[in-house]
Amino acid sequence: NPILSLMQFPYYKFRTFQTGLGWIIKPLHDFPDLCVNSGTSRGFSTYIAVSHNRGVGVFILSNQADLRLEFFAEEILDFLIR
């Protein structure tokens, strides 16, 4: 999708991560290009992580806003590339 590619393109660099249009691009273990988007609203939370180079992604929905979904996503991503 060309629009998604534009949104996940790194436009600004910080020390440990980069930002696209609403996305954070950060290296994680074997995923140098991991694009992440997450959020919470009214007791629900979401976490999306996509690695285009590795061809894998994770989409997690939760009905609890206080969970650390990035922990679960990292475990799932590690499992997917084994």
Side-chain angles (χ1 to χ4, degrees):
N1 184 335
I3 294 174
L4 191 57
S5 297
L6 287 173
M7 293 176 68
Q8 294 175 344
F9 181 81
Y11 289 99
Y12 191 80
K13 295 182 180 185
F14 294 93
R15 287 186 190 146
T16 58
F17 65 94
Q18 302 173 53
T19 60
L21 299 176
W23 290 82
I24 294 174
I25 301 100
K26 63 178 184 174
L28 174 70
H29 308 298
D30 294 325
F31 304 97
D33 67 328
L34 194 66
C35 296
V36 176
N37 197 332
S38 63
T40 60
S41 178
R42 297 183 183 185
F44 297 94
S45 55
T46 61
Y47 189 88
I48 305 168
V50 178
S51 174
H52 296 284
N53 287 342
R54 299 289 246 155
V56 296
V58 173
F59 180 62
I60 301 174
L61 299 171
S62 173
N63 60 354
Q64 293 183 340
D66 58 349
L67 289 177
R68 291 189 41 116
L69 296 181
E70 62 271 7
F71 170 77
F72 297 110
E74 290 175 13
E75 292 293 318
I76 293 168
L77 287 168
D78 286 338
F79 176 80
L80 289 174
I81 62 166
R82 287 188 203 158

